[in-house]
Amino acid sequence: MERRSIMRAGLAAVVGVLGANRAQAAGPERPRQRVAYHLSDQDRVLFVLGNIQNHIDGTGGPGKADIRLVVHGPALRAFHAISIEPNIAELAARLIKGGTALEACANTMKAQGVKLDDLTDGFIVAEKGGVVRLTELQQDGYAYLRP
C-alpha cells in the first residue's frame, strides 16, 4: 500500500514538472498593447498609416491592440475630405473600421479653418490640442511612437 502511495506521489510530481515546463515555454501572456502614434508631417501620412497597419497585423489583427493616431499641424491637411487622396482615404477607413481612433488637434483645425465635418469620416476632436492629448495618452499608459 505504501508503494502505491509513493508511486502516485512520484507520478504526480513528474506530471507537475512537465506541466510547469510547458507553461514556462509558452511564456507569460502579454497585456494588450496601447499605443499613441504622433503625426504632424504631411509628407509622412502614408508612411505612418502603413506603420499602423503593420502594427495591427503584427499583433494579430484588428482589436488586438488599442491604437490612437493623433494628427496635428500640416498632416491634418491630408485628411480634409474635399481633397483627400483615395489611397489615404481607403487606408484611414480600414484603420478606423479595425478600431484605430483618429484624433484631430482642435488648435490645428481652428488654424486651418476646418470643422469635424470637413475631415474624412471617423475623426474625433482632441479638444485640448494634439500635444496635450498625446501627453494624456502617455499618462494613461500608452506607448508613444512618432515614426
Side-chain angles (χ1 to χ4, degrees), residues 74-99:
L76 192 61
R77 291 195 188 280
F79 297 97
H80 289 197
I82 197 165
S83 61
I84 192 168
E85 293 178 20
N87 53 348
I88 292 174
E90 180 184 327
L91 188 49
R94 183 175 21 180
L95 293 175
I96 291 167
K97 185 178 178 184

Side-chain angles (χ1 to χ4, degrees), residues 51-65 67 95 98 100:
N51 271 213
I52 293 171
Q53 184 62 61
N54 290 340
H55 195 141
I56 291 168
D57 294 344
T59 57
K64 302 292 183 180
I67 298 178
L95 293 175
T100 300

Side-chain angles (χ1 to χ4, degrees), residues 37-39 41 44-53 69 91 95 146-147:
Y37 278 84
H38 180 177
L39 176 60
D41 301 322
R44 299 187 61 78
V45 171
L46 275 175
F47 177 75
V48 172
L49 295 178
N51 271 213
I52 293 171
Q53 184 62 61
L69 172 62
L91 188 49
L95 293 175
R146 184 172 185 175

